Coordinates of all heavy atoms in Angstrom, one line a residue:
Chain B
V27 N -0.4 8.5 -40.1 CA 0.6 8.0 -39.2 C 1.0 9.1 -38.2 O 1.4 8.9 -37.1 CB 1.8 7.4 -40.0 CG1 3.0 7.2 -39.1 CG2 1.4 6.1 -40.7
E28 N 1.0 10.4 -38.7 CA 1.4 11.5 -37.8 C 0.4 11.8 -36.7 O 0.7 12.6 -35.8 CB 1.6 12.7 -38.7 CG 3.0 12.6 -39.5 CD 3.2 13.7 -40.5 OE1 2.3 14.6 -40.6 OE2 4.2 13.7 -41.2
I29 N -0.7 11.2 -36.7 CA -1.7 11.3 -35.6 C -1.5 10.1 -34.7 O -1.8 9.0 -35.0 CB -3.1 11.3 -36.1 CG1 -3.3 12.5 -37.1 CG2 -4.1 11.5 -34.9 CD1 -4.7 12.5 -37.8
P30 N -0.9 10.3 -33.5 CA -0.6 9.2 -32.6 C -1.8 8.6 -31.9 O -2.0 8.8 -30.7 CB 0.4 9.7 -31.6 CG 0.2 11.2 -31.6 CD -0.4 11.6 -32.9
S31 N -2.7 7.9 -32.6 CA -4.0 7.5 -32.1 C -3.9 6.3 -31.3 O -4.4 5.2 -31.6 CB -4.9 7.3 -33.3 OG -4.4 6.5 -34.3
V32 N -3.1 6.4 -30.2 CA -2.9 5.2 -29.3 C -4.1 5.1 -28.4 O -4.4 5.9 -27.5 CB -1.6 5.5 -28.4 CG1 -1.4 4.4 -27.4 CG2 -0.4 5.7 -29.3
S33 N -4.8 4.0 -28.5 CA -6.1 3.8 -27.7 C -5.8 3.3 -26.3 O -6.7 3.4 -25.5 CB -7.0 2.8 -28.5 OG -6.3 1.6 -28.7
G34 N -4.7 2.8 -26.0 CA -4.4 2.2 -24.7 C -3.9 3.1 -23.7 O -3.6 2.7 -22.5
D35 N -3.8 4.4 -24.0 CA -3.3 5.3 -23.0 C -4.2 6.6 -23.0 O -4.3 7.3 -24.0 CB -1.8 5.7 -23.4 CG -1.1 6.6 -22.4 OD1 -1.8 7.3 -21.6 OD2 0.1 6.6 -22.5
A36 N -4.7 6.9 -21.8 CA -5.7 8.0 -21.7 C -5.1 9.3 -22.2 O -5.8 10.1 -22.7 CB -6.2 8.1 -20.2
A37 N -3.8 9.4 -22.0 CA -3.1 10.7 -22.4 C -3.2 10.9 -23.9 O -3.1 12.0 -24.4 CB -1.7 10.7 -22.0
Y38 N -3.5 9.9 -24.7 CA -3.5 10.0 -26.1 C -5.0 10.0 -26.7 O -5.2 9.9 -27.9 CB -2.8 8.8 -26.8 CG -1.3 8.9 -26.7 CD1 -0.6 8.5 -25.6 CD2 -0.5 9.5 -27.7 CE1 0.8 8.6 -25.5 CE2 0.9 9.6 -27.6 CZ 1.5 9.1 -26.5 OH 2.9 9.2 -26.4
R39 N -5.9 9.9 -25.8 CA -7.3 9.8 -26.2 C -7.7 10.9 -27.2 O -8.4 10.6 -28.2 CB -8.3 9.7 -25.0 CG -9.7 9.4 -25.4 CD -9.9 8.1 -26.3 NE -9.3 6.9 -25.8 CZ -9.9 6.0 -25.1 NH1 -11.1 6.1 -24.8 NH2 -9.2 4.9 -24.8
N40 N -7.3 12.1 -27.0 CA -7.6 13.2 -27.9 C -7.1 12.9 -29.3 O -7.7 13.2 -30.3 CB -7.0 14.5 -27.5 CG -7.7 15.1 -26.3 OD1 -8.9 14.7 -26.0 ND2 -7.1 16.0 -25.6
E41 N -6.0 12.2 -29.4 CA -5.4 11.9 -30.7 C -6.2 10.8 -31.4 O -6.3 10.8 -32.6 CB -3.9 11.4 -30.5 CG -3.0 12.4 -29.9 CD -2.8 13.7 -30.8 OE1 -3.0 13.5 -32.0 OE2 -2.5 14.7 -30.3
V42 N -6.8 9.9 -30.6 CA -7.7 8.9 -31.2 C -8.9 9.6 -31.8 O -9.3 9.3 -33.0 CB -8.1 7.8 -30.2 CG1 -8.8 6.7 -30.9 CG2 -6.9 7.3 -29.5
F43 N -9.4 10.5 -31.0 CA -10.6 11.3 -31.6 C -10.2 12.1 -32.8 O -10.9 12.2 -33.8 CB -11.1 12.3 -30.5 CG -12.1 11.6 -29.6 CD1 -11.7 11.0 -28.4 CD2 -13.5 11.6 -29.9 CE1 -12.7 10.3 -27.6 CE2 -14.4 11.0 -29.1 CZ -14.0 10.4 -28.0
R44 N -9.0 12.7 -32.8 CA -8.5 13.4 -33.9 C -8.4 12.5 -35.2 O -8.7 12.9 -36.3 CB -7.1 14.1 -33.6 CG -6.7 15.2 -34.5 CD -5.8 16.2 -33.9 NE -4.5 15.6 -33.6 CZ -3.5 15.7 -34.5 NH1 -3.6 16.3 -35.7 NH2 -2.3 15.2 -34.2
M45 N -7.9 11.3 -34.9 CA -7.8 10.4 -36.1 C -9.2 10.0 -36.6 O -9.4 9.8 -37.8 CB -7.0 9.1 -35.6 CG -6.7 8.1 -36.7 SD -5.7 8.7 -38.0 CE -6.2 7.6 -39.4
G46 N -10.2 9.8 -35.7 CA -11.5 9.5 -36.1 C -12.1 10.7 -37.0 O -12.7 10.4 -38.0
E47 N -11.8 11.9 -36.5 CA -12.2 13.1 -37.3 C -11.6 13.1 -38.7 O -12.2 13.4 -39.7 CB -11.8 14.3 -36.5 CG -12.6 15.5 -36.8 CD -14.1 15.3 -36.8 OE1 -14.6 14.7 -35.8 OE2 -14.8 15.7 -37.8
F48 N -10.3 12.7 -38.7 CA -9.5 12.7 -40.0 C -10.2 11.7 -40.9 O -10.5 12.0 -42.1 CB -8.1 12.2 -39.7 CG -7.3 12.0 -40.9 CD1 -6.6 13.0 -41.6 CD2 -7.1 10.7 -41.5 CE1 -5.9 12.8 -42.7 CE2 -6.4 10.5 -42.6 CZ -5.7 11.5 -43.2
M49 N -10.6 10.5 -40.4 CA -11.2 9.6 -41.3 C -12.6 10.1 -41.7 O -13.0 10.0 -42.9 CB -11.5 8.2 -40.5 CG -10.2 7.5 -40.2 SD -9.2 7.0 -41.6 CE -10.4 5.9 -42.4
A50 N -13.4 10.7 -40.8 CA -14.7 11.2 -41.2 C -14.6 12.2 -42.2 O -15.4 12.3 -43.2 CB -15.4 11.7 -39.9
T51 N -13.6 13.1 -42.0 CA -13.5 14.2 -43.0 C -13.1 13.7 -44.4 O -13.6 14.1 -45.4 CB -12.4 15.2 -42.5 OG1 -12.7 15.6 -41.1 CG2 -12.2 16.4 -43.4
E52 N -12.1 12.8 -44.4 CA -11.7 12.2 -45.7 C -12.9 11.6 -46.4 O -13.1 11.7 -47.6 CB -10.6 11.2 -45.5 CG -9.3 11.8 -45.0 CD -8.5 12.5 -46.0 OE1 -8.1 11.9 -47.0 OE2 -8.3 13.8 -45.9
L53 N -13.7 10.8 -45.6 CA -14.8 10.1 -46.2 C -15.8 11.1 -46.7 O -16.4 10.9 -47.8 CB -15.4 9.2 -45.1 CG -14.6 7.9 -44.8 CD1 -15.1 7.2 -43.5 CD2 -14.8 6.9 -46.0
K54 N -16.1 12.1 -45.9 CA -17.1 13.1 -46.4 C -16.6 13.8 -47.7 O -17.4 14.0 -48.6 CB -17.3 14.1 -45.3 CG -18.2 13.6 -44.2 CD -18.4 14.7 -43.1 CE -19.0 14.1 -41.8 NZ -18.7 14.9 -40.6

Side-chain angles (χ1 to χ4, degrees):
Chain B
V27 166
E28 285 172 0
I29 303 172
S31 51
V32 176
S33 56
D35 186 337
Y38 287 86
R39 184 52 53 94
N40 285 343
E41 300 293 336
V42 186
F43 273 89
R44 196 153 72 88
M45 185 63 204
E47 202 49 49
F48 173 85
M49 291 302 294
T51 305
E52 293 286 299
L53 284 162
K54 282 178 197 159

